[in-house]
Amino acid sequence: MGIWIAVLLTFIIVGIILIGYVYVYNSFQTYIIRINEAEAFIDTTLRKRFDLLNKSIGIIKAYTKPKEDVLGIIVKLRSKKLTNFELDRQLYEAINEFHQYKENIDELKNNESFLKIDLSLFESESEIVAARKYYNDIITDYNKMIRTFPSNIVAKTCKYKQKFYFDGKDMNDDIINDFKL
């Protein structure tokens, strides 16, 4: 009779461990889905900003010297495959250049198409800030699960790695390089 109790207790313990493992695994899957959704929203917003800047090139060229390289960053980005981190940095530089044209060429302030693009870029800034915050909040929780017990056991068995925050910093920054995956 004692052996049956030992077997029963073993099955109960294994069952509890298995249920705990499945629960943590499903939690990771939920975070991965949320991270992918946040990345997709960021990607969509960045592509929208890219398209707006791309549309503005023709308008700006109409008011500048014919040989001037208008928003050269955008022209170069057309053929590159970049991560969202890299694209965000490049678009930030292009938007700064866009605003310099806006400040330096008075005729652009009267162009309706240019003003619509400027307004859309302004609105997209709040979208990208919100998307970054949402993404970073999810990444914080995900990274905590990877580092804390007992979920770190599941992370190791499934080979989940910590993820970088979307903060717009250069990926070569010392702080980020010190962050071990």
Side-chain angles (χ1 to χ4, degrees):
M1 177 105 162
I3 194 155
W4 289 108
I5 293 174
V7 169
L8 182 62
L9 283 175
T10 304
F11 278 130
I12 290 172
I13 291 170
V14 169
I16 290 171
I17 291 171
L18 187 61
I19 288 170
Y21 183 91
V22 168
Y23 176 78
V24 172
Y25 177 82
N26 286 338
S27 295
F28 272 116
Q29 294 306 306
T30 300
Y31 279 115
I32 290 168
I33 289 168
R34 290 176 61 200
I35 290 167
N36 289 339
E37 288 172 346
E39 286 174 344
F41 183 73
I42 288 170
D43 185 57
T44 301
T45 306
L46 291 174
R47 299 297 169 197
K48 175 181 165 185
R49 295 178 103 191
F50 175 83
D51 291 342
L52 289 167
L53 289 167
N54 199 25
K55 286 179 188 177
S56 72
I57 292 173
I59 297 168
I60 295 171
K61 278 188 175 183
Y63 295 100
T64 60
K65 299 173 189 168
K67 294 187 179 187
E68 188 172 339
D69 185 23
V70 174
L71 293 174
I73 295 169
I74 295 299
V75 175
K76 291 175 189 171
L77 289 178
R78 289 178 185 163
S79 61
K80 289 184 180 179
K81 286 198 106 186
L82 301 172
T83 66
N84 283 343
F85 296 107
E86 296 165 329
L87 181 60
D88 185 50
R89 283 193 302 277
Q90 296 293 318
L91 288 177
Y92 183 74
E93 290 176 28
I95 288 171
N96 285 339
E97 186 179 344
F98 174 88
H99 288 307
Q100 287 174 356
Y101 283 111
K102 178 182 163 188
E103 290 175 17
N104 296 332
I105 303 172
D106 291 330
E107 292 86 8
L108 287 175
K109 295 176 185 173
N110 297 325
N111 184 299
E112 187 176 326
S113 297
F114 184 84
L115 292 175
K116 284 182 182 178
I117 291 171
D118 186 37
L119 179 62
S120 295
L121 282 172
F122 177 76
E123 291 170 350
S124 72
E125 180 63 27
S126 61
E127 290 174 11
I128 198 71
V129 166
R132 281 184 198 137
K133 182 178 178 349
Y134 177 69
Y135 177 84
N136 288 339
D137 288 346
I138 296 168
I139 292 299
T140 297
D141 294 339
Y142 176 83
N143 287 343
K144 282 179 187 175
M145 283 188 65
I146 287 178
R147 295 189 75 155
T148 58
F149 181 81
S151 59
N152 64 344
I153 296 170
V154 176
K156 285 179 184 175
T157 60
C158 294
K159 298 180 182 173
Y160 296 141
K161 302 286 184 196
Q162 290 190 32
K163 295 191 177 277
F164 290 114
Y165 291 97
F166 196 119
D167 57 4
K169 287 188 179 182
D170 187 347
M171 295 304 281
N172 295 320
D173 286 351
D174 291 336
I175 293 171
I176 293 176
N177 281 336
D178 291 341
F179 187 72
K180 302 292 182 212
L181 291 179

